[in-house]
Amino acid sequence: MTQAPDNKISVLFVCLGNICRSPMAEGALRDAAARAGLDISVDSAGTADYHIGSPPDPRAIAAARRHGVDIGSACGRQLSQSDFFDFTHIFALDTANMVGIKACAPRHGTAHVAMLLDVLDRAGEPVPDPYYGDDAGFDECWSIVSEAANALVQRFLKDRIAARF
């Protein structure tokens, strides 16, 4: 995985509206990084402009809260071209959003772009969108993004150790 020249890891999670999956992934990574003592920047965005300025879906907030993570202050925003320079890593939550990310990507963007579940050796698999379901779908989504967040932290820590030698 690539890192910015100042070695500060910065991660952006991207889903469609930025009110369910991506803010949950953002919260899960913030929590996993804090528990590991890893200093990283984390944010989330959507490929669509449906929920700019909106908080996460109340069901997403509740699912994260059940795991001791507060995502209530997150604010919906849309992916921008500057994100490809401001972040070292951009993770799509599904293939449709990967297409949107690639369509928005500037030619010389520096961010490493991948599907989130690639980190779990589940290449190309989407994080299921819980929006049209019930609380169980949000809990399943939390479980998946939390597992991926923990794997990312382990990979970032391993890369940091390897970079010292």
Side-chain angles (χ1 to χ4, degrees):
M1 302 191 130
T2 59
Q3 292 182 17
D6 65 359
N7 282 339
K8 176 77 172 191
I9 298 166
S10 52
V11 176
L12 180 68
F13 294 106
V14 181
C15 68
L16 182 62
N18 191 214
I19 60 166
C20 295
R21 294 173 291 173
S22 57
M24 284 197 289
E26 176 187 349
L29 183 57
R30 282 185 197 281
D31 181 60
R35 285 185 281 108
L38 181 63
D39 181 27
I40 64 174
S41 296
V42 187
D43 199 0
S44 60
T47 54
D49 63 358
Y50 307 141
H51 303 287
I52 293 173
S54 297
D57 185 291
R59 298 167 296 174
I61 293 171
R65 187 174 294 130
R66 284 191 285 276
H67 296 276
V69 178
D70 181 8
I71 65 168
S73 63
C75 184
R77 72 178 189 85
Q78 190 172 17
L79 179 69
S80 70
Q81 287 197 342
S82 65
D83 289 329
F84 293 87
F85 300 96
D86 295 341
F87 292 90
T88 57
H89 301 78
I90 297 176
F91 290 102
L93 281 286
D94 63 32
T95 54
N97 287 297
M98 178 62 98
V99 170
I101 291 167
K102 288 182 177 180
C104 181
R107 183 174 176 174
H108 300 292
T110 55
H112 172 77
V113 178
M115 293 281 291
L116 178 58
L117 296 190
D118 289 357
V119 74
L120 297 176
D121 295 325
R122 292 162 56 179
E125 282 189 43
V127 174
D129 188 348
Y131 185 74
Y132 293 104
D134 58 14
D135 288 347
F138 283 84
D139 288 332
E140 175 188 7
C141 183
W142 178 266
S143 177
I144 293 168
V145 298
S146 182
E147 180 183 3
N150 287 319
L152 278 172
V153 165
Q154 292 309 307
R155 185 168 294 175
F156 291 144
L157 289 172
K158 182 179 176 184
D159 288 351
R160 279 261 163 98
I161 291 167
R164 292 185 197 156
F165 296 100

